[in-house]
């Protein structure tokens, strides 16, 4: 049972209403081929928010693409033909933008879902040869802070989905402090 809505995200005016601190979420098919669209949408949404330097925007876009790829690879979002991934964007406090990726939950195949974690330490040679396992290291290095949590924090809801989030602090950001759609 997927909890992610299966309706296309509206992307016509995806910016927070006046004095609000949250954008409408964007919903994507759980396919790695959607990564370029996720990146382009975040770039456009950030441009509406503020004018970050190219470096800051590139770091945010890189992090969201890594989070999206992990959701497609390690959850039911990428396993099921109808799998979806949700991207949210909000301003939790002045000067901070938070990007979240929400997946469809635990995989049911042999590549079972595991909690996000930074990979164990590797030797320089092992790191050079590794083909995977750098995405969360990038998050750890490029974000102000990041983390993950279950979509619903009840034991009987285990496996319904994971939210991975990353926060970026930038002095040019200004939060309206409001809410979107009455939900905080």
């Amino acid at each position: 049972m997927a909890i992610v809505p299966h309706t296309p995200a509206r992307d016509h005016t995806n910016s927070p209403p006046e004095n609000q601190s949250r954008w409408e979420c964007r919903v994507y098919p759980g396919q790695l081929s959607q990564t370029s669209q996720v990146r382009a949408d975040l770039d456009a949404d950030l441009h509406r928010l503020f004018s970050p330097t190219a470096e800051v925007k590139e770091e945010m876009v890189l992090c969201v693409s890594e989070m999206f790829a992990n959701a497609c690879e390690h959850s039911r979002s990428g396993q099921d033909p109808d799998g979806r991934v949700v991207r949210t964007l909000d301003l939790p406090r002045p000067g901070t933008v938070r990007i979240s990726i929400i997946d469809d939950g635990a995989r049911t195949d042999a590549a079972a879902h595991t909690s996000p974690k930074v990979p164990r330490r590797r030797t320089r040679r092992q790191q050079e040869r590794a083909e995977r396992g750098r995405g969360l290291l990038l998050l750890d290095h490029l974000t102000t802070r990041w983390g993950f949590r279950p979509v619903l924090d009840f034991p009987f809801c285990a496996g319904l989905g994971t939210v991975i989030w990353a926060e970026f602090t930038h002095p040019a950001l200004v939060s309206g402090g409001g809410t979107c759609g009455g939900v905080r």
Side-chain angles (χ1 to χ4, degrees):
M1 174 180 89
I3 62 168
V4 176
H6 288 242
T7 56
R10 289 178 272 165
D11 63 355
H12 307 295
T13 57
N14 195 25
S15 57
E18 189 92 19
N19 295 323
Q20 295 192 359
S21 60
R22 205 177 270 194
W23 284 249
E24 286 186 45
C25 65
R26 291 189 185 255
V27 182
Y28 303 93
Q31 302 162 1
L32 287 174
S33 62
Q34 294 294 309
T35 306
S36 61
Q37 186 63 53
V38 173
R39 293 170 67 96
D41 288 345
L42 180 63
D43 188 299
D45 291 344
L46 291 173
H47 183 69
R48 288 185 199 106
L49 172 64
F50 70 116
S51 296
T53 64
E55 181 181 358
V56 169
K57 190 166 24 171
E58 286 172 8
E59 289 175 356
M60 295 170 108
V61 169
L62 175 61
C63 287
V64 80
S65 64
E66 290 294 336
M67 292 165 36
F68 180 81
N70 280 351
C72 292
E73 179 69 24
H74 299 292
S75 77
R76 201 168 51 232
S77 295
Q79 177 190 20
D80 291 346
D82 293 330
R84 298 286 186 262
V85 177
V86 176
R87 192 225 62 204
T88 67
L89 182 65
D90 67 292
L91 303 171
R93 60 193 155 280
T96 302
V97 77
R98 181 188 309 131
I99 304 166
S100 299
I101 294 289
I102 306 162
D103 65 41
D104 263 344
R107 291 181 73 113
T108 57
D109 63 0
H113 175 79
T114 59
S115 295
K117 59 183 168 265
V118 174
R120 63 178 170 74
R121 294 215 182 260
R122 298 176 175 156
T123 66
R124 182 176 198 87
R125 184 176 176 146
Q126 288 172 327
Q127 187 67 22
E128 289 170 357
R129 291 179 160 208
E131 294 181 15
R132 307 169 59 87
R134 293 185 179 94
L136 295 180
L137 288 171
L138 284 170
L139 282 180
D140 199 48
H141 181 71
L142 297 175
T143 65
T144 305
R145 59 189 211 127
W146 69 276
F148 65 94
R149 63 177 176 77
V151 170
L152 296 171
D153 196 19
F154 297 107
F156 57 87
C157 296
L160 286 181
T162 300
V163 178
I164 185 166
W165 53 269
E167 290 184 357
F168 301 84
T169 302
H170 192 279
L173 294 169
V174 177
S175 173
T179 61
C180 184
V183 179
R184 236 189 210 290

